[in-house]
Amino acid sequence: MSLKKYWAKRDFKRTAEPKGKVLKTKEHRFVVQEHRTLDGRLHYDFRLEIEGVLKSWAVPKGPPEKAGEKRLAVQVEDHPLEYQVFHGVIPEGQYGAGKVEIWDVGKLKIKEKTANSIRFELFGKRLKGSFSLFQPPTFEKKNWLLFKNN
Ligand code: MN
């Protein structure tokens, strides 16, 4: 796992986002951040702690909250674990410029992981229960589907 792409996109003298490093912990967590960019568009950043980084997807419509729902989730660069607590303003001219708020956070239990699927359980305030991420073979590689199973 590497944070090179994350570091390359950001100037840490200008953004308050953490530089971070790959960091393995015993208890894994997830975070969802509501991200409103300067052009007024809203998406949700869905991040799962896996192998010392936050695997990250941008979910335009927000994560599914009801069993049986699914959402498009576009994979973006891995983020450092320190990003779990980040909220605030990313300044104009910086990557992702706009406002970031924590929408949900909590424990994460990975049930099964393959090259194109992850099954997991979330223990957040808003997101609870069994979810999965799946990369359909007919989709563009960065495009995944996020399901709420129950
Ligand atoms: Mn974002």
Side-chain angles (χ1 to χ4, degrees):
M1 295 298 148
S2 162
L3 294 168
K4 275 185 190 158
K5 281 186 188 162
Y6 172 86
W7 291 330
K9 285 173 187 274
R10 292 169 176 80
D11 177 355
F12 295 100
K13 287 181 188 133
R14 296 201 53 210
T15 181
E17 293 165 287
K19 183 154 188 275
K21 58 181 180 201
V22 178
L23 203 65
K24 299 210 173 162
T25 67
K26 272 191 187 157
E27 253 188 12
H28 292 190
R29 296 174 69 78
F30 80 97
V31 65
V32 181
Q33 281 141 329
E34 194 181 274
H35 187 178
R36 190 176 291 277
T37 49
L38 281 184
D39 59 13
R41 281 192 222 179
L42 184 67
H43 65 268
Y44 294 80
D45 289 303
F46 187 84
R47 310 189 196 279
L48 303 180
E49 180 178 347
I50 294 175
E51 293 169 35
V53 297
L54 295 174
K55 289 283 172 195
S56 298
W57 291 261
V59 183
K61 292 187 176 169
E65 293 184 79
K66 286 184 196 148
E69 285 183 343
K70 64 171 185 280
R71 298 278 192 272
L72 176 69
V74 182
Q75 192 169 19
V76 297
E77 77 278 16
D78 297 346
H79 280 51
L81 296 197
E82 290 94 325
Y83 215 94
Q84 283 173 43
V85 294
F86 176 74
H87 59 94
V89 173
I90 300 171
E92 199 172 350
Q94 290 300 292
Y95 182 73
K99 195 175 175 199
V100 175
E101 284 174 286
I102 295 174
W103 185 84
D104 199 14
V105 66
K107 275 195 208 171
L108 157 71
K109 212 179 261 178
I110 302 285
K111 297 285 188 186
E112 188 186 23
K113 189 177 172 295
T114 71
N116 65 351
S117 72
I118 310 168
R119 280 199 311 117
F120 53 97
E121 227 175 303
L122 299 181
F123 303 86
K125 279 199 174 133
R126 299 193 200 224
L127 299 180
K128 297 175 210 279
S130 166
F131 292 77
S132 51
L133 272 158
F134 175 63
Q135 184 188 37
T138 56
F139 281 27
E140 234 185 282
K141 210 166 176 211
K142 63 178 183 174
N143 291 339
W144 295 59
L145 289 172
L146 172 61
F147 295 86
K148 173 143 175 63
N149 305 321
N150 61 54

